[in-house]
């Protein structure tokens, strides 16, 4: 069985909407492209390393449409990778699947994602916030990579925007900070549910 690995860029207040550009997801959001002024060589290298070994993409419809309009025309490392591996699209509509290697998932999303995980080693979920909410709610992920950027927007769709349920995760490696203040956090899904305690008991 392979791994479902979620890759997300977020602000300090955990807004993850439209980091890449102003036209990415403009609905009621005026900060599209907020990531561009902050990206540096260190965080860029971290992102590149995170995709090593990827053998499938799992995308929501909006992210897929953005990727399909851009990546087929690119020949850099990301373009070569994305164009060569299967792309799975979670959509209730009828997306244009002309990007080579693309396939729409069936109506039972949870079953379809489990089947993909059985078929591949490293399935990358990029952006796709609505899809991410479902994966969080179903605990249908194995790793969550978060790049936290040193800005707060106060508006926009968030990483944990109604999809999460009580879940334990474990930090898989020490946090890494880049010169511009981006902090890279890598978590793995852990068993059980969060416990509770009484902090006052620690004082005695």
């Amino acid at each position: 069985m392979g791994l479902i690995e979620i890759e997300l860029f977020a602000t300090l207040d955990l807004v993850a909407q439209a980091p890449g550009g102003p036209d990415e997801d403009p609905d009621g959001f005026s900060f599209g492209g907020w990531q561009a002024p902050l990206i540096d060589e260190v965080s860029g290298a971290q992102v590149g390393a995170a995709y090593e070994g990827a053998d499938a993409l799992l995308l929501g419809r909006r992210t897929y449409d953005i990727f399909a309009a851009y990546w087929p025309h690119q020949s850099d490392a990301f373009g070569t990778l994305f164009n060569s591996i299967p792309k799975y699209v979670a959509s209730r509509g009828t997306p244009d699947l002309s990007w080579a290697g693309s396939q729409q998932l069936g109506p039972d999303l949870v079953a379809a994602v489990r089947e993909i995980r059985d078929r591949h080693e490293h399935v990358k979920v990029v952006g796709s916030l609505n899809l991410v909410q479902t994966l969080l709610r179903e605990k249908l992920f194995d790793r969550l990579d978060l790049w936290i950027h040193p800005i707060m927007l106060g508006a926009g769709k968030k990483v944990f925007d109604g999809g999460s349920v009580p879940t334990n995760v474990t930090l898989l490696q020490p946090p890494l900070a880049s010169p511009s203040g981006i902090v890279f956090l890598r978590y793995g899904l852990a068993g059980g549910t969060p416990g509770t305690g009484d902090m006052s008991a620690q004082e005695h």
Side-chain angles (χ1 to χ4, degrees):
M1 183 174 72
L3 302 175
I4 303 293
E5 301 166 340
I6 299 173
E7 312 292 328
L8 286 175
F9 307 114
T11 66
L12 193 59
D13 53 343
L14 293 181
V15 172
Q17 184 171 353
D23 299 325
E24 193 171 292
D25 185 4
D27 295 343
F29 187 67
S30 57
F31 296 103
W34 52 263
Q35 183 188 19
L38 298 168
I39 196 77
D40 55 35
E41 288 188 9
V42 172
S43 58
Q46 291 168 354
V47 174
Y51 283 86
E52 292 178 1
D55 60 353
L57 292 177
L58 173 58
L59 307 170
R61 168 70 180 272
R62 185 189 296 271
T63 301
Y64 174 80
D65 286 345
I66 293 168
F67 276 29
Y70 179 78
W71 287 113
H73 312 291
Q74 309 303 315
S75 57
D76 60 7
F78 277 108
T80 299
L81 174 65
F82 290 170
N83 289 320
S84 65
I85 61 178
K87 277 75 67 173
Y88 298 97
V89 189
S91 174
R92 296 186 182 92
T94 55
D96 177 359
L97 300 175
S98 56
W99 188 11
S102 299
Q103 176 181 331
Q104 184 173 0
L105 299 181
D108 188 341
L109 179 61
V110 172
V113 172
R114 287 183 175 138
E115 182 181 346
I116 291 169
R117 183 161 59 180
D118 289 339
R119 192 183 308 161
H120 297 281
E121 293 296 321
H122 295 279
V123 181
K124 297 292 183 178
V125 183
V126 190
S128 308
L129 288 177
N130 291 336
L131 171 60
V132 166
Q133 303 312 309
T134 299
L135 300 179
L136 294 174
R137 185 167 51 249
E138 298 291 336
K139 297 187 180 181
L140 193 52
F141 69 97
D142 301 285
R143 197 176 82 192
L144 174 61
D145 287 348
L146 275 176
W147 282 267
I148 303 297
H149 295 65
I151 53 170
M152 293 179 284
L153 298 179
K157 300 172 185 175
K158 296 194 174 186
V159 174
F160 306 107
D161 202 3
S164 56
V165 297
T167 303
N168 285 327
V169 296
T170 184
L171 191 65
L172 297 178
Q173 63 183 45
L176 298 171
S178 75
S180 65
I182 300 171
V183 178
F184 174 41
L185 300 166
R186 171 167 285 174
Y187 292 103
L189 180 65
T193 55
T196 61
D198 186 351
M199 288 297 293
S200 63
Q202 306 298 319
E203 300 174 1
H204 303 290

